[in-house]
Every structure is written in C-alpha cells, then in structure tokens.
Amino acid sequence: MSTQAVPVARAHPATVSERLVNFVSRSPVHLVLIAIAVIWLIPSVGLLVTSFRNRPDIASSGWWETLSNFNFTLDNYENVLSNQNMGSSFLNSLMISIPATLFPLLIGAAAAYAFSWIRFPFRDTIFLGIVALMVIPVQMTLVPVLRMFRDLGNWTTGKEDLITGSFVGIWIAHTTFALPFAVFLLRNFFITLPRDLIEAARVDGASNLRIFFRVILPLSVPALASFGIFQFLWVWNDLLMALVFVQEPDDLPLTVRISQVQSTYGVEWHLLSAGAFVLMAVPLAVFFSLQRYFVQGLLAGSVK
Amino acid sequence: MSTAPGTVVGGATPRSRRAEFMARGGWQGLMFSLPAIILLVVFMVYPVLWTIRLSLDTGRGLRFREFVGLDNFERLLTNDRRFLDLSGFPPDGALVNNIKWIVLYTSLCLILGLLMAVLATRVRYESMIKAIIFVPMAIAATAVAIIWKFVYSPDPDIGVLNAAIQGFGGDPISWLGRESTVNYAIIFAYVWASAGFAMVVLSAALKGISQEVIEAARTDGATEWDIFRRIQFPLLSLPISVVTVWLVINVIKVFDIIYVMTAGGPNGASQVIAYTMYDQTFQGSKGGYGAAIAVIMLIMMIPIMAFNIKRFRSEAVVQ
C-alpha cells in the first residue's frame, strides 16, 4: 500500500550513474554494515578453518595464513568423535534434549489447556502462581533437587546414583524448569483460539481429552513448534544443569565433554575447534532450517 | 488477569459449591494441570524453600548442619573480598563484576542492535546481514567461549587479535590472563553472541512503524537523523525496555561462558555471582554459603520479573 506512494526513481534508479550516486551517498552505511559483518564472521570462520587443519600447522601459523597452502584434513573430527568420545556425547545430548523437550511440551500444553478452556476453582490464581515461578533462578533448586535424587535412590534401591546416574534426573530438572514458561506461552496462545470451535466440539459431546488432542493441539502447531525449538536449543546448549545432574561419565552431553577436554589436555586447539563445531552443528541446522519458528520462539522467550 | 465473572461463584452452601465444581468440570481441570502442578511443587517450590533454609545454615556437605541465622549474608556482603570488595577504588568482587556486566553488556548490545536494525533496513542485503549477526544466538555459550578464547589467544600465531596487534607493531596481550582486561574480553564475547537478539526485536519494531508517517516527514524536509530521532526512537521505547529486561536477566544468570573461558580466573578476577555460587557449593562444598548467593540472585531477579509480568498483564488486557 505505502510502496505505491514512494516515487519509482527512489526504489529503482533509472540509469547506471544514478545508481552509482545513490550507492556512494550511502557508502558510510555500507561501510559500517560490512565492517560489523566482518567482525561478526571472523571469530567463527577462524575456528572453522582451524578445525580442518592438522595440529602442527595450527601451532606454527595462524589460520589466516592458510590461503596459500591449506592442508585440508578431517583428522580432528575423527579424533574428537572416536577418541574423545564426542560421538557418544552427541548421542547423549540428543538423549537428554529430545525427552526434555517433549515432556514439558505435553505437560505444559495440558496445563495450558486447563488454564484457558476448563473452568475450575482457583484456576487463575494457580496460573499466576506458575507464571511467577519464572523468576526462580536455577541456582535456587540445584542443591535440594540433587539431594532429593540421591535420597530417593538410597531409599528405594540403596543406590545413591540411581537417578543422577541416568538421564532421568536431568529430564526432570529441565522439564520442571521449562514448565512455567511453557504454560505461560501456550496458555496465551490457546486463549486466542476461536471459542465457537471449542464450544461446538463440546456440544457434539467431545470430551476434554478429545478436544485437547483433536482441536487444540492441531491448531497450535506454530506455538508448539516455537516453544519446542526454543526448549530443545536451551537444553542442547545447557552446561550448568548437566554439570550438576549428569554424574555418570558415559552419559555426559557435549557441553560438559568439551569443557572437560579443555581442562584435561589444556588448550588443544585441534580438539577444541572440531569439538566446538560438533556442538554447534545441531543448533546451526535448526537455525537455518527452522529460522522462522526459531525467531518467534526466541522473541516469545524474551520473558524467560 | 482478573477472575472472569462466574468462575468461582460464591455458592450458598458447601454442597452446592461442590456440585457446581463438578458440573463445571473442576476435576478435569485439575487432571489436566496436575502433572505440571506436582512437578513444580515437588521440584521447584519445595526446593526453593529448602534453599532459603539452607542459606541460614553452614550447610557443610550440602546438608543442614548448624543454624547460623544471617551469618552467610553478613559474611558475603561485608567480609568476602571475592564477592564484594568496597575497600578499594574501583570496588571489586563478583557482585561488582555483575554490575560491570549489566552496564557494559546491556548498553553495548542495545547500541549495536539498534545501529544494525536501523542501518540494515536501508540496504538490499538486509537479510544476509541480519543472519550473520543473529546466528551466534543459536549456539551454546560453551561454543562462544571456545570461539573467543581462540580469538584472544596470547600466541600471535593462533589468536587473530594479537596477530593484528603485532601486525601494527604492538606487543601481544594476554586478554584473558590479565585481571585488568579479562572481564571486558568476556563481556565483548557475550555481546557478540547476544547483540543479534536486540537487533531482531528492534528491527521488527522498526518495521511496524508506518512508512507513510516517515514519507510524510521526508516530504516535509526532515533529514534521516530527524526521522530517527523524532519518529523512530520514541516509538522504540517499549521494545527497548523488553530487550533491556531480557539482557539484564541474562547477565544475572551468566555462568557457562565464564566457566569455560576462565573458570573465574585469573585470581578470581572474572568471577560473577552465578559462578561463585557454583564454585562455593559444588567445589567448596559450602552449601549454606552457596545458598545465600542463590538467594541474593533471586532477590535481584524479583523486581525485574515483577516489571515483566506487569507488562504482560497490561498486554493481555489489550488482547
């Protein structure tokens, strides 16, 4: 609508010289933008190039000098994936992240449905209470939850690491921490769904369970996807909770493993660079394939 | 979110109230929300109370040992130079570092985000620029830490920053090894990771401003700077507050990047509250002391979250 008001010449300069004048008059803008983009790219490009260089090369010359003689190698990736157990850590990260995304998604959506479409006493009070829990920093619960996991293991089987020695502990921790935000986000979406549709389903005799699975969830795919992506990346990228709640060395996710590689071997850039890109591979894939949902989830997540 | 009329009608007798509860599907409401409520009560509300109690205890070995009242808080705020050192100028300690973080990180992210949001809309390669700035948002702070540790490497054959300094004839600087530079170096790395968030939010807000208003101002002879200063900037105040709140919350909780980049060093110079909490609790086994730090974090979060929820309630009313 407003584009029609814009003079055509402004959007599409007619002649080459006009275009050139236009470009030059804007050159400060281009310079600033390109400078910032270069600053933003150099760090990751440098590490990416390094991850394909062999160890002696990395030590003897900077990555920016490789343009002349670049001995491309995949050894570092092979090394970290097999010798440094990052292959299995990659699977551990998935084993932690996928359930820790699905559980809060389902439990949070069910609660959000109750808070938006079923009337029951103290409903709005409970909802506000849950929203208020978003204020709690994870540090407020690390120790007692760890104690509870240990006591529960001792009490049931006599094994202290029953829960922290498996993925169950970190699933519970991440699920609980995601719930206030999940309930908040999904409830705000569910109340915007058309009332007539849900009332009509009720009149037809559909149970709440049926309405939830057949009406609410299918209509809420964008909101569910936004939250799901946000939560998946949150868990995948998390270091702190994994440090505390994953205590079996074979179960460690990538974030913890990389910080261990660093403290064990000192700063070995051929390992760290490849390891960092193994860690980044999944978030980058998610980002480039689901950018729209990713940005939405992130914007919605700005309250967390 | 006031109670909708008729949600809980004050029934005359308990019996009619219960009948009404059943009729309104009260049990079903509880059934749907119960899994969430149970998890939150057991693994969040109860632990929070437990941690508050622990903050009043020595908490050795992460158990209740000996009640010490507010001793932990007193020691933290008056007698722990690592946490808060007001004896010298400038003041020092983890809490002061967090304040440095809040001021520098928040303002740098906002300035860079705003600059890029405003400039990027004026060029054709807007989406490419935005993707480049925004991508670091997706990756783990652990990876950000590795990427920047590499940039800051004191060896000019490895770290590009020191290579550049050497190229200009300077001496390499150990950015992460010196107490005077370490905080700024980490803060900038984290700005690199988060400025894209500010840019995306502010850019979305800028796009929402009517083009007709801007065109009308242009025809009236307003310069580009006038347009930014008088039209765009005032309309950005709400999104700027949203971003600021998000950034400040992020700073209070910042942990991963410091754990991986410096582990709080050198000599504890880059410790922040979240790092000190982890260190005291899990490395020092001083549960009570760590719990007191966690409580201080919570106290810092409350006003910010109250503001946030208030804002969302007002938005919900608009809906």
Side-chain angles (χ1 to χ4, degrees):
Chain A
M1 31 148 211
S2 57
T3 44
Q4 284 172 339
V6 179
V8 180
R10 184 181 284 277
H12 301 286
T15 65
V16 174
S17 59
E18 212 170 325
R19 255 182 231 182
L20 202 67
V21 169
N22 225 336
F23 186 85
V24 171
S25 69
R26 287 184 174 194
S27 57
V29 172
H30 293 296
L31 279 179
V32 172
L33 281 175
I34 290 167
I36 291 175
V38 168
I39 293 172
W40 246 250
L41 276 175
I42 282 179
S44 11
V45 169
L47 201 70
L48 182 64
V49 171
T50 302
S51 71
F52 295 116
R53 301 177 77 204
N54 57 44
R55 199 178 166 196
D57 282 359
I58 295 174
S60 61
S61 65
W63 59 267
W64 51 92
E65 296 166 63
T66 53
L67 293 173
S68 48
N69 58 334
F70 188 29
N71 301 319
F72 178 88
T73 173
L74 284 172
D75 288 356
N76 300 335
Y77 285 93
E78 211 182 302
N79 192 344
V80 290
L81 287 175
S82 52
N83 300 344
Q84 303 302 327
N85 285 326
M86 277 197 207
S88 65
S89 286
F90 188 91
L91 294 179
N92 291 340
S93 281
L94 283 177
M95 277 298 293
I96 292 169
S97 307
I98 293 173
T101 303
L102 294 179
F103 291 150
L105 205 53
L106 189 65
I107 297 171
Y113 172 62
F115 292 131
S116 46
W117 292 104
I118 307 175
R119 287 196 165 154
F120 58 100
F122 304 114
R123 181 184 77 168
D124 294 343
T125 314
I126 299 173
F127 173 68
L128 267 188
I130 290 180
V131 171
L133 288 178
M134 283 198 286
V135 72
I136 307 294
V138 65
Q139 282 80 1
M140 283 299 286
T141 67
L142 293 177
V143 173
V145 171
L146 187 62
R147 269 253 72 86
M148 285 162 75
F149 286 160
R150 285 185 183 161
D151 290 347
L152 197 67
N154 265 331
W155 179 58
T156 51
T157 58
K159 285 199 319 204
E160 194 175 68
D161 63 350
L162 177 76
I163 295 173
T164 50
S166 67
F167 293 124
V168 176
I170 188 121
W171 287 342
I172 294 176
H174 273 301
T175 301
T176 310
F177 250 85
L179 277 176
F181 174 59
V183 170
F184 174 77
L185 180 79
L186 296 175
R187 187 259 187 195
N188 280 0
F189 187 83
F190 290 173
I191 52 172
T192 64
L193 296 175
R195 172 173 289 274
D196 295 350
L197 206 66
I198 289 144
E199 295 298 336
R202 289 225 169 105
V203 170
D204 288 348
S207 65
N208 274 319
L209 212 55
R210 203 178 163 81
I211 295 174
F212 176 64
F213 280 110
R214 293 293 167 82
V215 180
I216 300 277
L217 291 188
L219 285 177
S220 307
V221 170
L224 297 170
S226 295
F227 172 78
I229 289 167
F230 174 83
Q231 172 68 5
F232 177 82
L233 290 180
W234 179 275
V235 178
W236 180 275
N237 289 340
D238 164 76
L239 172 69
L240 177 58
M241 277 185 162
L243 279 174
V244 176
F245 293 119
V246 183
Q247 306 203 325
E248 166 66 40
D250 289 342
D251 287 350
L252 292 175
L254 281 170
T255 46
V256 181
R257 184 79 70 194
I258 288 175
S259 67
Q260 279 185 348
V261 164
Q262 187 186 233
S263 49
T264 317
Y265 299 94
V267 183
E268 289 282 3
W269 287 114
H270 65 294
L271 298 177
L272 286 176
S273 58
F277 275 92
V278 172
L279 171 63
M280 283 186 266
V282 168
L284 290 180
V286 170
F287 176 80
F288 285 113
S289 56
L290 300 164
Q291 194 171 0
R292 192 167 59 92
Y293 289 125
F294 175 77
V295 173
Q296 278 171 359
L298 212 93
L299 294 183
S302 60
V303 293
K304 192 171 177 179
Chain B
M1 254 152 276
S2 60
T3 312
T7 305
V8 195
V9 183
T13 67
R15 178 172 294 186
S16 74
R17 197 184 273 182
R18 181 188 284 177
E20 193 173 46
F21 177 70
M22 298 288 279
R24 288 182 183 280
W27 295 121
Q28 300 212 22
L30 272 184
M31 289 308 287
F32 273 86
S33 51
L34 215 52
I37 293 172
I38 290 176
L39 274 173
L40 286 169
V41 169
V42 175
F43 294 108
M44 208 151 164
V45 177
Y46 171 72
V48 164
L49 300 175
W50 206 96
T51 298
I52 293 173
R53 167 70 183 82
L54 190 69
S55 72
L56 308 173
D57 198 288
T58 61
R60 294 253 165 223
L62 311 187
R63 289 180 183 284
F64 297 133
R65 298 276 171 178
E66 186 192 344
F67 184 83
V68 293
L70 293 173
D71 278 10
N72 289 322
F73 293 93
E74 202 191 320
R75 224 175 84 217
L76 269 173
L77 296 175
T78 61
N79 206 12
D80 184 344
R81 295 188 146 202
R82 282 282 177 77
F83 192 72
L84 181 64
D85 180 5
L86 296 172
S87 63
F89 189 85
D92 207 0
L95 198 57
V96 177
N97 280 343
N98 267 88
I99 293 168
K100 264 185 216 164
W101 269 85
I102 289 180
V103 174
L104 279 175
Y105 167 82
T106 309
S107 54
L108 274 175
C109 283
L110 277 173
I111 291 168
L112 280 168
L114 188 59
L115 180 72
M116 287 176 295
V118 172
L119 294 186
T121 50
R122 283 150 210 255
V123 298
R124 286 213 201 120
Y125 45 92
E126 177 185 359
S127 57
M128 201 185 76
I129 287 277
K130 281 184 167 174
I132 290 171
I133 312 289
F134 191 69
V135 163
M137 249 344 264
I139 63 182
T142 307
V144 175
I146 305 269
I147 288 174
W148 280 87
K149 208 170 169 170
F150 186 63
V151 171
Y152 291 137
S153 169
D155 181 346
D157 277 337
I158 289 173
V160 70
L161 190 57
N162 277 322
I165 288 175
Q166 210 178 38
F168 287 112
D171 286 327
I173 295 169
S174 175
W175 298 98
L176 298 175
R178 298 207 318 201
E179 294 183 25
S180 56
T181 51
V182 63
N183 282 306
Y184 305 108
I186 308 176
I187 289 172
F188 189 80
Y190 215 43
V191 168
W192 175 84
S194 330
F197 174 75
M199 178 197 67
V200 167
V201 176
L202 298 177
S203 157
L206 277 175
K207 294 241 158 97
I209 296 173
S210 153
Q211 274 300 313
E212 284 162 32
V213 175
I214 292 174
E215 282 306 322
R218 272 204 190 109
T219 19
D220 286 348
T223 64
E224 292 293 307
W225 172 248
D226 287 335
I227 289 170
F228 174 72
R229 175 74 189 79
R230 308 269 170 201
I231 300 174
Q232 293 178 318
F233 193 73
L235 288 170
L236 283 177
S237 64
L238 181 70
I240 285 177
S241 78
V242 173
V243 176
T244 308
V245 165
W246 186 85
L247 293 169
V248 171
I249 291 175
N250 226 12
V251 168
I252 295 174
K253 296 197 283 199
V254 65
F255 170 83
D256 294 5
I257 191 168
I258 290 168
Y259 181 88
V260 179
M261 264 180 122
T262 62
N267 292 323
S270 61
Q271 287 199 359
V272 290
I273 41 180
Y275 185 85
T276 314
M277 186 272 159
Y278 179 84
D279 192 47
Q280 295 286 349
T281 307
F282 296 104
Q283 255 112 47
S285 206
K286 290 188 215 159
Y289 210 57
I293 300 173
V295 170
I296 290 175
M297 287 179 74
L298 176 63
I299 293 170
M300 291 171 77
M301 298 283 278
I302 286 173
I304 302 164
M305 270 298 178
F307 170 81
N308 225 3
I309 290 173
K310 210 169 137 192
R311 180 165 57 78
F312 267 90
R313 287 182 74 172
S314 58
E315 268 174 32
V317 170
V318 174
Q319 278 179 354

